[in-house]
Amino acid sequence: LSALRNDYLHALCLSFDVTFSQGHKPITLSTSPRERWTHWRQTVIYLHHELAISKGENLKGRLRIQPSRENKRHLDFRVNYAFDGEAVDGVAGQSINATHYYRMR
């Protein structure tokens, strides 16, 4: 992710688009905050660190989502991210590599 402005980054907002294309007429469902509201909403994943990010700096990472082994209706998220920017948790010039786990029920 590339910062469009100087700001603080403390969460990621996830949305998805899915197209059902095998029917008579293709239908696309979007949970984007820029599209019409549906009962499917966005998911917010809070980071464990506050990142001060400057315009043009990048947050690099990977997101893995899979069904929970305990309950197939739950989702397990693993977020890996690396940041080498303006500041981490108020400490200037600090970089971070972090992994966090979340479960959506």
Side-chain angles (χ1 to χ4, degrees):
L1 298 173
S2 185
L4 299 177
R5 65 175 186 254
N6 298 344
D7 214 330
Y8 293 94
L9 177 62
H10 53 86
L12 302 172
C13 183
L14 308 176
S15 63
F16 66 88
D17 295 342
V18 62
T19 300
F20 302 98
S21 60
Q22 298 302 310
H24 179 69
K25 179 181 176 186
I27 297 172
T28 298
L29 168 71
S30 177
T31 63
S32 169
R34 294 180 183 92
E35 297 296 331
R36 201 174 111 223
W37 184 87
T38 71
H39 73 284
W40 294 91
R41 302 198 182 191
Q42 300 84 35
T43 297
V44 177
I45 294 182
Y46 291 96
L47 304 180
H48 294 198
H49 303 278
E50 182 179 88
L51 311 177
I53 193 166
S54 296
K55 183 177 181 176
E57 289 183 338
N58 295 304
L59 177 71
K60 297 178 182 178
R62 181 172 289 197
L63 172 66
R64 187 177 95 192
I65 305 170
Q66 64 185 37
S68 169
R69 291 180 183 176
E70 291 83 24
N71 184 331
K72 65 181 179 179
R73 294 181 58 126
H74 297 171
L75 294 175
D76 289 338
F77 292 74
R78 184 177 77 189
V79 179
N80 304 89
Y81 62 92
F83 178 71
D84 185 18
E86 186 176 324
V88 176
D89 294 330
V91 179
Q94 186 173 348
S95 63
I96 189 166
N97 283 302
T99 300
H100 303 297
Y101 298 90
Y102 305 88
R103 175 161 292 155
M104 181 185 292
R105 297 180 180 165

